[in-house]
Amino acid sequence: MKLKELERPAVQAWSPASQYPLYLATGTSAQQLDSSFSTNGTLEIFEVDFRDPSLDLKHKGVLSASSRFHKLIWGSFGSGLLESSGVIAGGGDNGMLILYNVTHILSSGKEPVIAQKQKHSGAVRALDFNPFQGNLLASGASDSEVFIWDLNNLNVPMTLGSKSQQPPEDIKALSWNRQAQHILSSAHPSGKAVVWDLRKNEPIIKVSDHSNRMHCSGLAWHPDIATQLVLCSEDDRLPVIQLWDLRFASSPLKVLENHSRGILSVSWSQADAELLLTSAKDSQILCSNVESSEVVYKLPTQSSWCFEVQWCPRDPSVFSAASFDGWISLYSVMGRSWEVQHMRLADKISSSFSKGQPLPPLQVPEQVAQASLIPPLKKPPKWIRRPTGVSFAFGGKLVTFGLPSTRLVPQPCPRLVFISQVTTESEFLMRSTELREALESGNLLNYCQNKSQQALLQSEKMLWQFLKVTLEQDSRMKFLKLLGYSKDELQKKVATWLKSDMGLGEGPQPKGNDLNSDRQQAFCSQASKHTTKEASASSAFFDELVPQNMTPWEIPITEDVDGLLSQALLLGELGPAVKLCLKEERFADAIILAQAGGADLLKQTQECYLAKKKTKISSLLACVVQKNWKDVVCTCSLKNWREALALLLTYSSTEKFPELCDMLGTRMEQEGGRALTSEARLCYVCSGSVERLVECWAKCHQALSPMALQDLMEKVMVLNRSLELLQGPHGVSPGPATTYRVTQYANLLAAQGSLATAMSFLPSDCAQPPVQQLRDRLFHAQGSAVLGQQSPPFPYPRIVVGAIPHSKETSYRLGSQPSHQVPTPSPRPRVFTPQSSPAMPLAPSHPSPYQGPRMQNISDYRASGSQAIQPLPLGPGVRPGPQDSWKEAPAPRGNLQRNKLPETFMPPAPITAPVMSLSPELQGILPSQPPVSGVSHAPPGAPGELSLQQLQHLPPEKMERKELPPEHQSLKSSFEALLQRCSLSATDLKTKRKLEEAAQRLECLYEKLCEGTLSPHVVAGLHEVARCVDAGSFEQGLAVHAQVAGCSSFSEVSSFMPILKAVLIIAHKLLV
């Protein structure tokens, strides 16, 4: 493709590779005349800016020259100095050699001409700077004269050989060797090339063609191999390029015959030694592969001959071509359509002819459009090949490749790929292994005991003691002991108190004894009075039964309180009697009477007593008597959370105990601050709520680290095992937060190379897509370690693809099951767990950029007729994903054949620390790409949206909205409060507009809630999101949102779920 062009009848020279910006120097050609027939010479410098889409070059400097030029080169001499751009050397007529200071030409300040030397006898047509010593310049002219100039001392140049040793002949080209700095070669029209050794100042070898038809026009050394060079012939009878190797100089090593007429110029790419650029009299510019002799790039036929082509030293894909028609053009070998340039030129012409009105579009013939396409190189060039590379693979594998350590001849050699295991968290792996062994052996009691002894914080020690108790019998009594309440201790304290109380009351006891003795004396004296023999046995019996000297008690019949009580008791009116006692604050009498009146009267009496008698423990008494444990949880001071938990452990029923513990823990999280949030985990351990334990942990650990996640998983696995002991292995269903953390933990283990351990921690009966996909990936990543084991179910829905509309006859293939099956309903857990919808394929929790509307398009394609779709060939270890699930009859993936390792194979030690110095074959550049994040929006025509015009034309009865059900009022309140907080915190106009749009779009959600058209799992998920919003856990809310969106019908949630996600992201960024 043409990049730039310049209308100048001139020779050219690129600036050195170290020069920036990139320049192109042009000097008036001595072999051409323009229409003015002027013989004046001009040296110009242009800046080449490929960012500018135009074809023009930027003019930077101009200088009048004393003569026109046969050859122009640009050397890097002096470019290491400050503000130096190198030296330009020009060869002119009459043996003139002129040196220019480029910096002075660009600045138009000092004298730009460094020196003018006229040592040669003829036109100077050959010039070349030494690539190793920039101060050495070789020049060649007529009479076989070759001079070596030292730019530090231009007085006396070095002369190669002597005229007597060689016949006088023109020098067509000079070239320094690219590997040996003392080797120089010269090409002559007779077809021979002379190789000079400057250390001996004599030719060491002469190369010539035996046909004597070779007329050399160009010469170039191989960029990598020191002994190889090419010669090109401008004779139309022999338009060839000969590749010579000086180690076998009797005949050419290879001959390229791609041109039909004589070759005028040759240039060998320094970036890729296989690419050789040539121009010839057949008006073609070809780029040939030296190794295969084929043409890998061909520029369309030019209108005139190109007498000089040069590769750009700085940009290896660009070359310049100077033609006899007075144009210098810059091209790229990477290939591109000329359509952009043609359209730009057409627009420029159209602007000149149009008078305020656009012209009709240009209809380009198809043949012309196809002809404008220029194919790139047939083989990728060396400069875009990666010399080395590194990439992380699943399972903590580090895959690297690099160049071979020894650089020999450029022959195809095997590129080694190294696969290493990277382990960065050794302690994390050790602890995960210990946890796995404890789970497999069932010895969790010792595990919890060791963790409790190793814990440094008292709260952590207490938590592990609670976890240990969950695995034991009679856990509630042991929970009370851990909280500091023991029945045995209480009995000891009461006994001690009673003993001390009796000791204090020992004084009044003699009075009681005296009274008893007095009564005994009265009985004895009374008996002595009736010692007559007439006394009957019956009277003696009654005399002994009832003492006669005891004072009889009287029933009060007065009108005071005692009289009223007597009357009420005599009439059996216990209710009024209790009321009188309560009024007079005779609470003991009231309680005794209430016990005789029944349970209802006793309950009312207790309530009245507790309402009137206010002491420090009255509230506690009320809760114990009335068994209103919910009030204890909701109203007690959070300073007494231990006492509240002890009450629940002692009195609450087994059915209500988990819910009450969760309520206490939730209140501690919301009202107690960070300290009580950590203690709330004990409540969740007592209730066995794994989901809330994980959510509480997430609030305390905003910054995730492997060791923090390991701590969480240890507690989760122990608590899960205790629940399995109580409820059975099928009674535990992980929630979304637990699933997310377990999946994250397994991914982290897999990244450290512990694939088997990661798979063992995944719940085996969990149907959530992220767990199924990770289990499938872990299974197949283990390779031969899982041979013979049953493969997990394929985690993606199999979609039958075809062009025929779906019907009962065509929706099955090869007797397979339908692509979508309706799952059997399962009881919903207490914490929201998204259910998979049969109408939509399951999507991973982190959607890839290849999933979206394109998936829906390919799912309706089916092959027509009886032609079966042939499966594409897959390499070893490649498994069909969601895009290639149309392949018929896939083989069982659990029995894949794998290459067996040799018996002596020893796996390399894992990489446990950063590699500070890589070996030469592994050194390279690590490309990095910034992550790209965005907010997804619903399409303009998504279901549930109503435009303003549609709302204005609706009848009034349709504009009325139903009242939101009470159970969904909290949902609306949470979202509206979040929008209000975000609006107050937002500062930029774009965010505020997005929030206003969100308020309107969420009305669709409220309408669906009023109508009751949402699925139960969607409603449950929305309430879970609202709960996360209230708790300020927006990251967890986004995770729940992703699971709800992935398991729901698009038409059901597309009107409000995208904008809800946008609001959650905004709230997370604003930290509201």
Side-chain angles (χ1 to χ4, degrees):
M1 173 192 173
K2 181 182 291 188
L3 302 177
K4 303 288 182 181
E5 62 181 7
L6 178 67
E7 189 176 7
R8 291 288 191 282
V11 294
Q12 57 183 339
W14 287 100
S15 60
S18 59
Q19 174 67 41
Y20 183 81
L22 182 62
Y23 291 115
L24 182 69
T26 62
T28 306
S29 175
Q31 300 175 354
Q32 303 178 69
L33 287 175
D34 56 10
S35 58
S36 63
F37 293 94
S38 174
T39 58
N40 297 329
T42 303
L43 178 63
E44 297 177 281
I45 297 179
F46 298 88
E47 179 182 349
V48 182
D49 186 5
F50 294 119
R51 296 172 298 180
D52 184 8
S54 66
L55 296 177
D56 301 329
L57 296 173
K58 299 179 181 179
H59 196 273
K60 290 297 181 180
V62 61
L63 179 68
S64 298
S66 58
S67 64
R68 296 188 297 172
F69 301 96
H70 289 274
K71 183 68 175 179
L72 202 67
I73 59 171
W74 193 329
S76 59
F77 176 73
S79 58
L81 302 177
L82 185 64
E83 296 182 358
S84 178
S85 300
V87 175
I88 293 178
D93 293 325
N94 301 322
M96 182 65 69
L97 176 64
I98 310 175
L99 300 176
Y100 300 94
N101 189 315
V102 179
T103 305
H104 296 170
I105 298 177
L106 296 175
S107 61
S108 301
K110 301 179 181 180
E111 173 60 37
V113 178
I114 299 176
Q116 293 187 13
K117 299 297 180 178
Q118 197 171 3
K119 291 287 186 179
H120 290 284
S121 58
V124 180
R125 294 185 173 89
L127 293 172
D128 194 20
F129 276 105
N130 191 301
F132 300 96
Q133 294 179 271
N135 61 312
L136 298 182
L137 171 65
S139 62
S142 303
D143 297 336
S144 301
E145 292 178 341
V146 178
F147 294 152
I148 307 299
W149 303 85
D150 186 355
L151 299 189
N152 296 319
N153 184 10
L154 296 171
N155 294 328
V156 180
M158 173 183 176
T159 304
L160 291 184
S162 61
K163 294 184 178 180
S164 60
Q165 295 178 354
Q166 50 187 342
E169 193 174 7
D170 291 343
I171 304 295
K172 297 289 292 186
L174 287 174
S175 179
W176 291 95
N177 191 278
R178 298 301 169 181
Q179 304 296 325
Q181 61 182 356
H182 58 278
I183 300 299
L184 177 70
S185 63
S186 60
H188 304 269
S190 61
K192 70 176 180 179
V194 181
V195 180
W196 300 86
D197 187 346
L198 268 65
R199 295 177 301 183
K200 303 176 182 178
N201 195 13
E202 63 181 16
I204 57 176
I205 193 172
K206 295 181 180 180
V207 177
S208 61
D209 182 57
H210 299 291
S211 62
N212 295 325
R213 293 184 298 168
M214 187 79 173
H215 193 276
C216 287
S217 60
L219 166 72
W221 284 99
H222 196 291
D224 299 329
I225 304 176
T227 58
Q228 291 186 5
L229 55 83
V230 292
L231 299 174
C232 58
S233 170
E234 64 178 347
D235 194 337
D236 293 343
R237 298 173 299 172
L238 191 66
V240 297
I241 301 173
Q242 296 178 348
L243 175 62
W244 292 83
D245 194 316
L246 302 184
R247 294 168 295 183
F248 183 74
S250 59
S251 63
L253 190 65
K254 188 175 296 185
V255 177
L256 306 182
E257 300 179 358
N258 297 323
H259 286 283
S260 58
R261 297 189 64 185
I263 301 170
L264 299 176
S265 177
V266 63
S267 179
W268 209 325
S269 174
Q270 301 300 311
D272 189 348
E274 295 181 356
L275 301 182
L276 189 69
L277 191 66
T278 55
S279 64
K281 299 177 185 178
D282 55 4
S283 302
Q284 286 187 344
I285 298 178
L286 303 180
C287 183
S288 305
N289 188 320
V290 180
E291 297 297 329
S292 62
S293 303
E294 67 172 337
V295 177
V296 296
Y297 181 81
K298 179 179 180 180
L299 202 65
T301 304
Q302 305 294 312
S303 59
S304 180
W305 296 353
C306 289
F307 62 87
E308 185 179 18
V309 290
Q310 289 185 22
W311 288 103
C312 176
R314 186 174 184 85
D315 192 339
S317 64
V318 177
F319 69 91
S320 60
S323 58
F324 283 113
D325 58 359
W327 285 91
I328 297 177
S329 302
L330 275 59
Y331 300 94
S332 172
V333 296
M334 300 309 293
R336 190 178 170 187
S337 173
W338 285 359
E339 182 180 357
V340 177
Q341 296 180 0
H342 288 170
M343 293 301 298
R344 188 181 298 113
L345 180 60
D347 294 341
K348 184 177 181 180
I349 296 176
S350 300
S351 62
S352 302
F353 286 90
S354 61
K355 298 180 180 180
Q357 296 180 356
L359 296 175
L362 179 63
Q363 300 293 335
V364 181
E366 184 177 358
Q367 294 80 3
V368 177
Q370 294 179 354
S372 64
L373 295 174
I374 302 177
L377 292 171
K378 294 181 180 180
K379 183 180 179 182
K382 186 178 180 180
W383 60 80
I384 68 172
R385 302 175 196 166
R386 288 188 178 182
T388 183
V390 60
S391 177
F392 277 101
F394 181 74
K397 299 295 190 299
L398 183 68
V399 184
T400 59
F401 68 90
L403 295 175
S405 56
T406 57
R407 298 187 60 183
L408 302 175
V409 295
Q411 297 179 353
C413 60
R415 302 287 293 275
L416 298 179
V417 177
F418 301 91
I419 302 178
S420 307
Q421 179 66 53
V422 180
T423 302
T424 59
E425 301 289 343
S426 302
E427 183 181 358
F428 170 74
L429 287 179
M430 180 185 66
R431 290 179 57 180
S432 66
T433 305
E434 293 177 358
L435 176 60
R436 180 188 178 188
E437 292 175 353
L439 291 172
E440 292 178 350
S441 63
N443 191 14
L444 290 176
L445 290 175
N446 293 337
Y447 180 80
C448 294
Q449 183 66 27
N450 294 334
K451 298 298 292 186
S452 176
Q453 295 175 357
Q454 297 171 4
L456 300 179
L457 299 177
Q458 184 62 31
S459 60
E460 192 73 11
K461 184 185 295 292
M462 177 71 76
L463 182 59
W464 277 111
Q465 291 175 354
F466 266 64
L467 287 170
K468 178 185 176 184
V469 169
T470 59
L471 301 170
E472 300 174 347
Q473 299 294 332
D474 196 12
S475 59
R476 295 181 69 161
M477 297 303 298
K478 294 181 180 179
F479 280 144
L480 284 173
K481 282 188 177 181
L482 290 176
L483 291 173
Y485 297 96
S486 173
K487 286 186 177 182
D488 296 337
E489 295 293 331
L490 179 61
Q491 290 176 1
K492 292 180 182 179
K493 291 180 180 178
V494 171
T496 303
W497 176 260
L498 291 177
K499 289 179 181 180
S500 62
D501 191 24
M502 290 175 62
L504 293 173
E506 288 178 357
Q509 286 182 1
K511 294 183 179 180
N513 295 335
D514 294 343
L515 181 59
N516 293 334
S517 63
D518 292 343
R519 289 181 177 179
Q520 291 175 2
Q521 293 177 1
F523 280 116
C524 293
S525 61
Q526 191 69 20
S528 63
K529 292 180 181 179
H530 298 278
T531 56
T532 60
K533 295 180 180 180
E534 295 84 8
S536 62
S538 61
S539 60
F541 172 77
F542 283 105
D543 289 340
E544 293 178 0
L545 182 64
V546 179
Q548 298 298 320
N549 64 342
M550 293 296 296
T551 303
W553 56 276
E554 297 180 359
I555 298 175
I557 56 174
T558 58
E559 296 297 329
D560 57 0
V561 176
D562 292 337
L564 293 175
L565 284 174
S566 300
Q567 296 177 26
L569 294 176
L570 292 174
L571 295 175
E573 296 292 336
L574 297 181
V578 170
K579 291 181 180 179
L580 287 174
C581 294
L582 291 174
K583 183 178 181 181
E584 295 298 323
E585 295 186 354
R586 296 166 62 173
F587 298 113
D589 296 339
I591 295 297
I592 293 174
L593 292 174
Q595 287 180 344
D600 294 338
L601 182 58
L602 179 61
K603 182 178 180 181
Q604 295 175 6
T605 306
Q606 291 172 349
E607 292 176 353
C608 293
Y609 169 76
L610 295 173
K612 289 185 177 182
K613 197 68 174 179
K614 295 297 182 181
T615 62
K616 293 183 178 180
I617 63 169
S618 59
S619 299
L620 178 61
L621 289 175
C623 294
V624 172
V625 173
Q626 298 173 0
K627 299 181 180 180
N628 192 359
W629 312 120
K630 189 173 183 180
D631 289 345
V632 175
V633 172
C634 297
T635 59
C636 74
S637 173
L638 291 180
K639 296 179 181 179
N640 303 115
W641 68 268
R642 291 175 178 266
E643 289 71 23
L645 184 57
L647 275 175
L648 298 179
L649 290 167
T650 304
Y651 295 103
S652 64
S653 62
T654 307
E655 294 77 14
K656 294 185 178 180
F657 175 71
E659 180 182 359
L660 293 172
C661 286
D662 287 347
M663 291 175 61
L664 179 59
T666 303
R667 184 167 173 240
M668 292 171 65
E669 288 187 57
Q670 295 178 352
E671 304 176 14
R674 186 174 183 85
L676 287 184
T677 299
S678 178
E679 301 293 348
R681 297 179 297 174
L682 298 179
C683 299
Y684 299 142
V685 170
C686 293
S687 67
S689 179
V690 181
E691 184 73 7
R692 291 188 180 273
L693 176 64
V694 173
E695 293 174 355
C696 180
W697 177 88
K699 292 182 180 180
C700 300
H701 298 78
Q702 297 294 336
L704 182 64
S705 66
M707 301 311 299
L709 189 60
Q710 174 67 30
D711 291 337
L712 173 66
M713 285 299 107
E714 292 171 353
K715 301 174 180 63
V716 167
M717 293 303 165
V718 173
L719 188 56
N720 268 333
R721 183 57 58 88
S722 66
L723 293 177
E724 291 177 2
L725 296 176
L726 293 175
Q727 305 175 11
H730 302 290
V732 181
S733 178
T738 307
T739 303
Y740 174 73
R741 295 300 176 184
V742 171
T743 307
Q744 197 174 23
Y745 178 66
N747 272 312
L748 192 55
L749 284 173
Q752 298 296 319
S754 187
L755 302 180
T757 303
M759 192 168 182
S760 68
F761 282 112
L762 288 178
S764 58
D765 56 347
C766 183
Q768 297 189 23
V771 177
Q772 290 185 342
Q773 294 163 10
L774 181 57
R775 184 186 299 111
D776 180 79
R777 191 176 188 186
L778 287 170
F779 179 84
H780 292 278
Q782 294 182 55
S784 58
V786 294
L787 285 179
Q789 300 182 17
Q790 183 179 2
S791 174
F794 191 60
Y796 301 98
R798 299 188 182 277
I799 302 175
V800 180
V801 180
I804 303 176
H806 292 281
S807 65
K808 294 182 179 180
E809 292 80 7
T810 61
S811 59
Y812 303 92
R813 287 180 56 188
L814 300 177
S816 62
Q817 295 295 326
S819 59
H820 301 289
Q821 297 182 1
V822 179
T824 58
S826 59
R828 282 173 47 197
R830 180 181 56 76
V831 182
F832 161 71
T833 303
Q835 301 173 356
S836 60
S837 173
M840 289 291 293
L842 297 177
S845 58
H846 303 283
S848 66
Y850 301 100
Q851 296 178 354
R854 186 179 305 176
M855 287 289 295
Q856 300 175 3
N857 296 337
I858 68 171
S859 65
D860 294 333
Y861 177 81
R862 288 180 57 87
S864 60
S866 59
Q867 297 178 355
I869 302 176
Q870 297 296 330
L872 294 177
L874 295 177
V878 179
R879 299 180 289 104
Q883 285 79 10
D884 50 13
S885 59
W886 49 266
K887 300 170 187 175
E888 52 184 334
R893 295 172 295 135
N895 298 324
L896 292 178
Q897 296 181 357
R898 307 179 186 272
N899 296 330
K900 295 185 178 179
L901 297 176
E903 296 180 356
T904 59
F905 173 75
M906 292 293 294
I911 301 173
T912 59
V915 181
M916 304 306 296
S917 60
L918 296 177
S919 57
E921 59 268 13
L922 297 180
Q923 293 180 352
I925 301 173
L926 302 179
S928 61
Q929 297 180 355
V932 181
S933 61
V935 180
S936 61
H937 304 278
E945 294 187 2
L946 292 177
S947 63
L948 182 60
Q949 293 80 1
Q950 291 173 340
L951 289 176
Q952 291 175 351
H953 290 83
L954 286 176
E957 58 273 8
K958 293 186 179 181
M959 298 277 295
E960 297 179 358
R961 182 188 305 165
K962 297 181 182 179
E963 185 177 356
L964 194 65
E967 61 269 17
H968 301 321
Q969 288 289 346
S970 60
L971 191 70
K972 182 177 180 182
S973 302
S974 300
F975 291 160
E976 289 182 347
L978 178 63
L979 287 174
Q980 185 177 4
R981 295 199 304 270
C982 292
S983 300
L984 294 177
S985 303
T987 57
D988 57 317
L989 185 60
K990 182 179 179 180
T991 303
K992 291 184 177 180
R993 289 178 178 175
K994 176 60 69 175
L995 293 173
E996 293 174 359
E997 178 189 355
Q1000 298 176 1
R1001 296 280 291 277
L1002 287 179
E1003 293 296 330
C1004 300
L1005 168 62
Y1006 305 145
E1007 291 178 3
K1008 290 180 178 288
L1009 290 175
C1010 293
E1011 298 170 358
T1013 58
L1014 293 178
S1015 303
H1017 74 279
V1018 175
V1019 175
L1022 291 173
H1023 279 280
E1024 184 71 13
V1025 172
R1027 195 182 67 80
C1028 295
V1029 167
D1030 295 337
S1033 180
F1034 301 110
E1035 182 180 358
Q1036 182 65 26
L1038 285 170
V1040 176
H1041 177 282
Q1043 294 183 355
V1044 174
C1047 301
S1048 305
S1049 173
F1050 176 78
S1051 60
E1052 182 182 11
V1053 300
S1054 61
S1055 58
F1056 58 87
M1057 288 299 277
I1059 200 65
L1060 180 58
K1061 177 181 178 182
V1063 174
L1064 291 175
I1065 292 177
I1066 292 174
H1068 183 64
K1069 291 181 179 179
L1070 297 178
L1071 301 176
V1072 296

